[in-house]
Amino acid sequence: MTVTEAAWEALVSAALLGTDRRPPAGTRGAAAAGELLDAAARLTLRRRAGLRPGPAAVPPGPAPEDPRPELPPAARRRLDGLLAGRAAPAPAGGRRGTAPDLVELLPQWLAMADERGYKAPAASLPALLDAARARTDLRPRALALAGPRGLWLARLNPDWRFALRGGGAGGTLPDPGDARGVRELWEEGLFAERVALLGAVRAKDPAAGRALLAATWEGERAEDRLMFLDSLRAGLSAADEEFLEAALADRSRNVRATAAELLSALPGSAFAGRMAGRAVTCVGLDRTAAVPTVVVEAPHECDEDMRRDGVAAVPPSGRGERSWWLGQLVEAAPLSCWPARFGGRSPEEIVALPVADDWQPELHAAWCRAAVRQRDAVWSRALLGAPSVPPASGPGTSSLAERAQLLSTLDPAERARWVADFVAAHGLSEAFQLLGVCAVPWAEPLGAAVIDALDIARDAGSYPWSFSGVMGLAERCLSPAAARRLASPAAVPEAEDTSPGAGAYWSEAFQRLAATLDLRARMRAELDGAPPGTPT
């Protein structure tokens, strides 16, 4: 024991027994307690000062280079403002005022910056990673902008570990043409990295992606096989049929169902032929009736061959077995099999036929799913019907969700025209889902139809928060050029027969919409390097 340790032990003993019973050497009475504390302080300082420093930590390596171009100065300042606005407190009382919502503008800014191939400024990386940590919907774009330097920084802060699970964000994936790098990452990488790698290889060379998956297919976990199989949707072609046919025998029910869904999107596949053969035996035309009528004889059993082809035998709660089996057969059958079955009629004529015994909802819903799966615009138009027809009495479906899916198969311009006519006929109360599938920015006449419908809603005496969802979509999706149409609605005074205060709230909402569109236009001009004040 060293002298310092012995002295420390003596002080501890004196403190435990009390200075009256064991005073420090050379002290008595009241001074003993003070001397004890002074001695303890001196020894504590001596012990701390005598510690040898530990080995220095290994400094991190230098951040990798990012060859992408720098942001223009105005765009860099805008990014810093958007990131700072993300953390700003919410307005008191929940009233948004006329200022644009910077939180919702950040995703749009990131998308535009990524499209132009910019990299994030080094000084903005911490705030950008914090934003991506707080909002998962920002992560793909934010990590792409952060690039390899963002990943380097994320390794130094545990709060940003999510970036390291980002599946190769920021350019860490090997080039799809680098066979050795692809093989090593596929065999040794994390699951998210492997999913991203498979998608990248598949996008460049569908056959190479399929071969990569086939090489390890048997050893993958069921949940991983399902995710990997889903990646075949991109670039799906007849060349994938053999692999998907083999997947129909997979031990996982979910994998079998996904393989069947993908095969049904290939109308020329053997699977589609088998499903067509089953479906046409269940659905036909009764020509003996006064009016030609569709008749349905749903399957009476789900046999082994049907189950192998992905037909789920057990229906969900509340569904009958026969209708459940029928829906699966019809949605998987190629739509090209129906005109011949119905005497050469067109899809519009087939959809307009009456259906016997209340089978129409089930049959038309299955045709809707088939049109979406096979991306068949002709059948989608027939099932959608005219936009002026009330949603509850449409020719193919009464579900707005199904209509939204059908619209997704049409080209963006036709989609915008259809929804614009729907809004003009029915207003905005049922249009939210349909607006959500329209390409951004909204093409005319859709933007004008939405603004007119909002103006009509204001004149009807409602409050703007009844349309907050549509107003939020308009802020994100209207073309900035539509701002000029908002000058009049933003300035209209409150009418006498409207709800109290509604006019002021509407004016505020229209001013905020106009300010948001203006800011979006300026953001785009800044990213394009336009001088301040340049018309957009």
Side-chain angles (χ1 to χ4, degrees):
M1 182 180 292
T2 65
V3 174
T4 301
E5 290 172 341
W8 182 259
E9 291 292 339
L11 286 176
V12 172
S13 297
L16 291 173
L17 295 173
T19 55
D20 289 341
R21 298 177 58 187
R22 183 175 292 182
T27 61
R28 291 285 177 185
E35 179 61 27
L36 175 68
L37 294 176
D38 289 343
R42 290 192 297 270
L43 284 174
T44 299
L45 180 60
R46 183 177 178 183
R47 291 174 64 168
R48 289 179 177 174
L51 290 177
R52 293 184 178 180
V58 178
E65 291 296 326
D66 190 340
R68 295 177 297 174
E70 300 276 358
L71 285 167
R76 185 169 62 248
R77 292 191 294 271
R78 179 69 64 192
L79 172 61
D80 291 339
L82 292 173
L83 292 172
R86 181 190 67 84
R95 188 164 178 172
R96 290 182 56 191
T98 61
D101 186 350
L102 299 185
V103 173
E104 291 305 322
L105 285 172
L106 179 58
Q108 299 181 55
W109 188 97
L110 290 172
M112 289 190 291
D114 286 343
E115 288 169 1
R116 289 157 175 77
Y118 287 121
K119 65 180 176 183
S124 302
L125 287 174
L128 184 62
L129 290 170
D130 280 339
R133 179 192 180 202
R135 286 182 57 178
T136 56
D137 62 309
L138 293 179
R139 290 182 183 178
R141 295 287 192 182
L143 294 179
L145 186 70
R149 302 191 76 179
L151 292 181
W152 173 86
L153 195 60
R155 294 186 182 96
L156 306 178
N157 186 341
D159 289 342
W160 299 330
R161 285 177 182 165
F162 70 87
L164 306 179
R165 301 190 297 268
T172 61
L173 290 176
D175 185 276
D178 178 4
R180 179 178 178 181
V182 167
R183 184 177 65 256
E184 288 180 353
L185 184 59
W186 180 250
E187 294 175 352
E188 302 172 8
L190 300 174
F191 174 69
E193 293 174 326
R194 299 178 72 211
V195 170
L197 176 65
L198 181 59
V201 174
R202 178 79 177 170
K204 184 174 182 178
D205 185 348
R210 185 176 61 251
L212 190 67
L213 180 56
T216 59
W217 178 258
E218 293 299 328
E220 305 287 356
R221 300 182 305 168
E223 55 268 33
D224 294 351
R225 293 199 304 277
L226 181 62
M227 290 291 293
F228 291 142
L229 191 63
D230 199 61
S231 69
L232 297 185
R233 295 181 191 277
L236 184 67
S237 70
D240 300 315
E241 181 180 356
E242 182 179 355
F243 182 85
L244 293 172
E245 276 283 348
L248 288 174
D250 195 90
R251 54 189 180 275
S252 165
R253 179 176 61 83
N254 290 332
V255 172
R256 294 196 301 273
T258 300
E261 180 185 347
L262 293 173
L263 282 166
S264 68
L266 299 172
S269 66
F271 171 89
R274 296 194 298 269
M275 298 305 266
R278 295 176 180 123
V280 297
T281 63
C282 298
V283 182
L285 186 65
D286 182 3
R287 294 180 174 83
T288 64
V291 176
T293 302
V294 178
V295 291
V296 174
E297 181 65 29
H300 290 273
E301 65 172 344
C302 183
D303 59 33
E304 183 63 31
D305 288 340
M306 289 170 61
R307 289 195 293 271
R308 184 193 177 277
D309 280 342
V311 177
V314 181
S317 177
R319 287 287 300 274
E321 285 185 334
R322 297 182 66 198
S323 65
W324 172 243
W325 299 333
L326 174 74
Q328 294 179 80
L329 295 182
V330 173
E331 72 181 67
L335 289 163
S336 58
C337 73
W338 297 113
R341 181 63 169 164
F342 289 104
R345 287 175 171 83
S346 68
E348 290 81 0
E349 294 170 327
I350 294 171
V351 168
L353 291 170
V355 182
D357 302 324
D358 298 323
W359 279 105
Q360 178 172 324
E362 183 67 48
L363 179 61
H364 282 195
W367 277 337
C368 286
R369 295 192 295 272
V372 173
R373 187 180 294 184
Q374 297 171 36
R375 313 305 297 173
D376 192 310
V378 175
W379 271 87
S380 291
R381 291 188 195 98
L383 292 161
L384 278 166
S388 58
V389 176
S393 57
T397 174
S398 60
S399 165
L400 286 170
E402 288 175 337
R403 281 190 165 191
Q405 291 178 327
L406 291 170
L407 281 168
S408 70
T409 69
L410 306 182
D411 69 77
E414 182 180 1
R415 201 181 312 166
R417 288 193 301 271
W418 197 97
V419 178
D421 291 342
F422 181 93
V423 169
H426 309 293
L428 292 169
S429 59
E430 295 182 298
F432 182 78
Q433 285 180 290
L434 306 181
L435 290 168
V437 299
C438 292
V440 178
W442 288 337
E444 293 302 337
L446 179 56
V450 170
I451 294 174
D452 289 344
L454 288 170
D455 207 6
I456 292 170
R458 181 205 56 199
D459 292 342
S462 60
Y463 285 102
W465 47 79
S466 300
F467 300 92
S468 59
V470 173
M471 190 66 78
L473 277 177
E475 291 177 6
R476 296 191 294 273
C477 303
L478 272 174
S479 169
R484 64 177 67 95
R485 296 179 56 90
L486 296 168
S488 178
V492 171
E494 183 176 349
E496 293 182 0
D497 57 348
T498 60
S499 304
Y505 283 115
W506 274 108
S507 178
E508 188 177 270
F510 279 120
Q511 289 178 50
R512 182 175 62 251
L513 177 56
T516 301
L517 297 182
D518 178 68
L519 182 53
R520 283 175 49 205
R522 283 186 280 133
M523 285 175 9
R524 181 176 294 277
E526 291 164 357
L527 286 164
D528 289 335
T534 301
T536 57

